[in-house]
Amino acid sequence: MQKDLRSCLQLLETSDLLLRVKKEVNPRFEIPALMKKAEKQGKAILFESVKRPGFRVTNNICGSRKAFALFFETSPEKIVQEWIRRVNHPIKPEVCSSGPVKETIKKGSEVDLSELPIVTHCAKDAGPYITAGIVVAKDPETGTRNVSINRMQYKGKNKLGIRMMPPQHLGLIREKWEKKGKPLEIAVAIGSHPFDILAAATTVAYGTDEFTISSSLRKEPLQLVKCEAVDLEVPAFAEIVLEGEVLPEVWEPEGPFGDFMQYYVPVMDNNVFIVKALTHRKDPIYQTIQAGSLEDTHYLALSREARLYQAVSQVADIQALSLVPTILGCAISIRKRFEGEPKNVAAAAFGAYSWLKYCVVVDHDVNVFDINDVWWAMATRSRPDRGLLIMENALGFPRDPFHIHTSKLGIDATAPLNQWEEFERKTVPGADDIHLEDYL
Ligand SMILES: Cc1cc2nc3c(=O)[nH]c(=O)nc-3n(C[C@H](O)[C@H](O)[C@H](O)COP(=O)(O)O)c2cc1C
């Protein structure tokens, strides 16, 4: 099992899934422009020379199911089942005395965030944004840990803008600390194993420690170390850690920021994070994620796919499902047993995951991981007059000033039952195994 981001990069490299960039690059727009090229190739990218001396930058560690499959040691089609299997065996993290993230420690006035290669991603972004920071906090009453990912806008030497709004758990925790008149202590780990990011991006019941999920995914305890300036623990093998306080009752404009829906979220009053300590490994790797990229979508999708898989399993013989390329739309393949069953599947999916807006149900012979195949099924098998499930005035994606996300559409794109002679897909014998290069 890979311990950290570095060993994951090694694994990707041995599988020809890593691009190394040796030429010096600028974190402002140049890095994200190159990230888009790496995304197209389905490969991770490591920038070895960055216009912020001392740091390397990486991105697109998990831009494809193929990469996730490597880390989960399974096939791309079976990742969701593997997730469910692992999470069903909870393992707690463990605190150890020290770890590589303590190789360099800077405190107080030594902290200077301008030394980090924080990336400016999009044309109208308010500035550089930390997008792959795993935020650790604790509930003031129970002491239970919460782990999430929250964007952070660079605002100065030791100052970041941070968005954390209830019902997101970090927002709830901030409110609790504020009621006590105390600042919220947080620690932010940057440069993480994909399982730690997956766990942080998972929405679980309030009070569940996401580092337990991360440990379960690893099949061994995640090793943590105590922070220097706050009463929190962070992954011992993280590349970089920022520690500090979110000021109570202080709100400042944050944004605009190019978000996961590919639009700019407008300027909003958000919180302020004052960084009191910065620790990092030798030759640290700064990790960044472009919101709305395939990597971001895969991170957000997997836990939600697991939730959907479990819900739909209750009502149908589910084969596979995919929330990529957008987590607002899902393709689900089933072995249909009854006419009408696909509508029940869509209803179960909408019930299990409120942000879901479109759900296309296809037969088992359709590849849900290939959007072209899903479109083919819709075009050749769905019946718009009978095969639609429309749900009005439902709960959807919450930031929705134009009420675009309050209705849902389920599409039955399955063939009529027991008509496989008519609907059997044509095949070309040998097409999967033949190599054109052998003939050129
Ligand atoms: C790369 C990435 C960036 C994210 N950025 C944000 C963000 O800026 N604000 C936010 O509310 N959620 C963001 N999320 C989603 C949250 O991390 C996710 O909803 C998480 O489950 C919330 O934590 P909670 O369950 O503790 O409330 C991001 C997720 C990923 C994968």
Side-chain angles (χ1 to χ4, degrees), residues 131 146 148-151 168-169 200-203 210 296 299-300:
T131 54
N146 189 76
S148 59
I149 304 187
N150 301 70
R151 67 172 186 261
Q168 203 213 27
H169 295 165
T202 303
T203 298
E210 282 91 349
D296 185 33
Y299 277 129
L300 288 165

Side-chain angles (χ1 to χ4, degrees), residues 162 164 174 183-186 244-248 271-274:
I162 179 167
M164 49 172 89
R174 175 187 41 78
L184 161 69
E185 291 191 335
I186 60 171
E245 291 176 351
V246 175
L247 303 175
N271 294 103
V272 175
F273 170 31
I274 300 298

Side-chain angles (χ1 to χ4, degrees), residues 350 357 389-396 403 405-410:
F350 292 138
K357 187 168 160 187
L389 173 74
I390 297 174
M391 208 185 254
E392 292 174 58
N393 301 316
L395 185 65
H403 307 290
H405 304 294
T406 51
S407 54
K408 301 177 189 296
L409 175 64

Side-chain angles (χ1 to χ4, degrees), residues 353-373:
Y353 169 41
S354 66
W355 288 15
L356 191 64
K357 187 168 160 187
Y358 290 101
C359 181
V360 184
V361 184
V362 296
D363 289 299
H364 57 275
D365 62 339
V366 176
N367 181 2
V368 292
F369 306 116
D370 178 355
I371 191 78
N372 294 325
D373 221 30

Side-chain angles (χ1 to χ4, degrees), residues 191-425:
S192 306
H193 189 290
F195 289 168
D196 301 343
I197 296 183
L198 274 174
T202 303
T203 298
V204 279
Y206 186 87
T208 306
D209 177 4
E210 282 91 349
F211 280 157
T212 300
I213 297 177
S214 177
S215 304
S216 310
L217 295 177
R218 290 161 181 270
K219 299 199 277 187
E220 63 188 18
L222 168 67
Q223 293 183 329
L224 303 174
V225 280
K226 287 198 175 300
C227 287
E228 301 298 312
V230 293
D231 182 21
L232 294 166
E233 300 83 30
V234 284
F237 287 80
E239 292 289 330
I240 302 162
V241 165
L242 314 177
E243 305 173 12
E245 291 176 351
V246 175
L247 303 175
E249 314 284 354
V250 176
W251 299 84
E252 285 187 5
E254 179 268 335
F257 173 70
D259 203 6
F260 84 97
M261 277 201 207
Q262 313 285 352
Y263 301 115
Y264 292 98
V265 285
V267 181
M268 290 183 261
D269 276 346
N270 277 316
N271 294 103
V272 175
F273 170 31
I274 300 298
V275 182
K276 293 161 69 179
L278 187 161
T279 72
H280 64 76
R281 296 175 69 153
K282 281 192 198 118
D283 197 14
I285 305 175
Y286 177 88
Q287 184 175 17
T288 193
I289 297 174
Q290 169 78 263
S293 63
L294 273 176
E295 180 182 30
D296 185 33
T297 308
H298 276 102
Y299 277 129
L300 288 165
L302 191 47
S303 64
R304 290 159 179 88
E305 286 175 353
R307 200 191 317 161
L308 286 169
Y309 188 94
Q310 286 170 306
V312 172
S313 301
Q314 305 293 317
V315 298
D317 185 3
I318 183 170
Q319 301 298 300
L321 83 168
S322 173
L323 276 171
V324 178
T326 162
I327 57 163
L328 303 185
C330 186
I332 302 178
S333 63
I334 60 168
R335 279 190 184 274
K336 188 166 77 167
R337 300 167 300 188
F338 311 101
E339 286 299 2
E341 194 180 33
K343 287 189 183 174
N344 296 61
V345 167
F350 292 138
Y353 169 41
S354 66
W355 288 15
L356 191 64
K357 187 168 160 187
Y358 290 101
C359 181
V360 184
V361 184
V362 296
D363 289 299
H364 57 275
D365 62 339
V366 176
N367 181 2
V368 292
F369 306 116
D370 178 355
I371 191 78
N372 294 325
D373 221 30
V374 175
W375 264 105
W376 167 83
M378 279 171 59
T380 65
R381 292 179 177 175
S382 73
R383 291 173 289 190
D385 61 334
R386 283 186 279 166
L388 303 186
L389 173 74
I390 297 174
M391 208 185 254
E392 292 174 58
N393 301 316
L395 185 65
F397 179 72
R399 207 185 70 76
D400 186 20
F402 302 104
H403 307 290
I404 284 173
H405 304 294
T406 51
S407 54
K408 301 177 189 296
L409 175 64
I411 300 173
D412 175 355
T414 60
L417 205 60
N418 303 325
Q419 298 295 330
W420 280 110
E421 277 181 21
E422 280 286 330
F423 287 90
E424 183 188 344
R425 298 181 73 159

Side-chain angles (χ1 to χ4, degrees), residues 39-183:
E39 181 184 39
K40 279 229 161 71
Q41 291 191 28
K43 293 188 179 184
I45 189 160
L46 180 65
F47 299 96
E48 296 184 342
S49 173
V50 180
K51 280 195 175 138
R52 295 288 182 283
F55 289 88
R56 295 174 284 166
V57 174
T58 196
N59 166 255
N60 208 35
I61 308 301
C62 284
S64 67
R65 269 179 216 270
K66 204 169 155 191
F68 269 127
L70 277 179
F71 303 129
F72 275 99
E73 296 168 320
T74 186
S75 67
E77 298 77 28
K78 294 282 173 215
I79 297 168
V80 168
Q81 291 90 325
E82 186 60 24
W83 165 288
I84 294 168
R85 237 190 316 279
R86 293 189 187 196
V87 170
N88 279 343
H89 293 93
I91 298 174
K92 288 197 169 148
E94 65 185 19
V95 180
C96 40
S97 56
S98 191
V101 73
K102 302 289 187 187
E103 282 165 354
T104 300
I105 299 175
K106 292 182 177 178
K107 288 185 184 170
S109 60
E110 292 174 311
V111 172
D112 185 358
L113 298 174
S114 70
E115 290 172 358
L116 297 182
I118 306 177
V119 172
T120 308
H121 288 270
C122 297
K124 291 189 176 173
D125 281 2
Y129 265 87
I130 296 174
T131 54
I134 292 178
V135 183
V136 183
K138 273 187 187 164
D139 181 293
E141 279 131 32
T142 61
T144 48
R145 189 187 292 121
N146 189 76
V147 186
S148 59
I149 304 187
N150 301 70
R151 67 172 186 261
M152 279 167 246
Q153 181 189 343
Y154 172 80
K155 289 193 162 193
K157 194 170 175 278
N158 65 347
K159 183 176 171 184
L160 295 160
I162 179 167
R163 176 162 173 80
M164 49 172 89
M165 289 307 288
Q168 203 213 27
H169 295 165
L170 187 61
L172 295 172
I173 292 173
R174 175 187 41 78
E175 285 184 342
K176 287 189 177 195
W177 282 99
E178 256 174 11
K179 276 199 187 117
K180 290 181 178 292
K182 289 188 177 167

